[in-house]
Amino acid sequence: PAVEGGFDLIMGSDVLYERDEPGHLSAFVLRHARPGAEVLIVDPDRGNRPAFTRRMQAAGFTLVQTRLGGARLLRYRRDAA
């Protein structure tokens, strides 16, 4: 089923599969993230996050990373406008 609506929190794990992913994930987030939303992504540190992070930052999100053993918790936040 299609996802509809806006959300204050969007979570994903191991969703950055391809290097320089073509923007599908960030487009999904931008479609569904409300102003002030938080996006949590657990990434197994494959090195595929730079393109996603660039797109998120261009959309006004800031990133805070936390190491989780062999993975990273990527916390993207955007101020409510």
Side-chain angles (χ1 to χ4, degrees):
V3 175
E4 296 183 20
F7 302 92
D8 296 320
L9 176 63
I10 298 173
M11 298 185 299
S13 179
D14 201 12
V15 293
L16 299 173
Y17 294 110
E18 299 178 24
R19 186 168 306 281
D20 298 324
E21 71 88 19
H24 300 296
L25 181 59
S26 57
F28 175 90
V29 168
L30 296 178
R31 241 185 345 268
H32 297 289
R34 289 183 180 156
E38 184 172 30
V39 179
L40 303 177
I41 305 287
V42 177
D43 180 50
D45 212 13
R46 292 191 189 110
N48 298 339
R49 69 190 163 280
F52 177 73
T53 295
R54 282 192 299 276
R55 288 182 183 96
M56 294 294 286
Q57 289 174 331
F61 284 85
T62 57
L63 170 64
V64 174
Q65 297 184 53
T66 304
R67 299 291 277 155
L68 301 171
R72 293 176 193 244
L73 172 62
L74 308 174
R75 174 175 277 165
Y76 299 90
R77 293 197 78 159
R78 163 167 82 174
D79 291 333

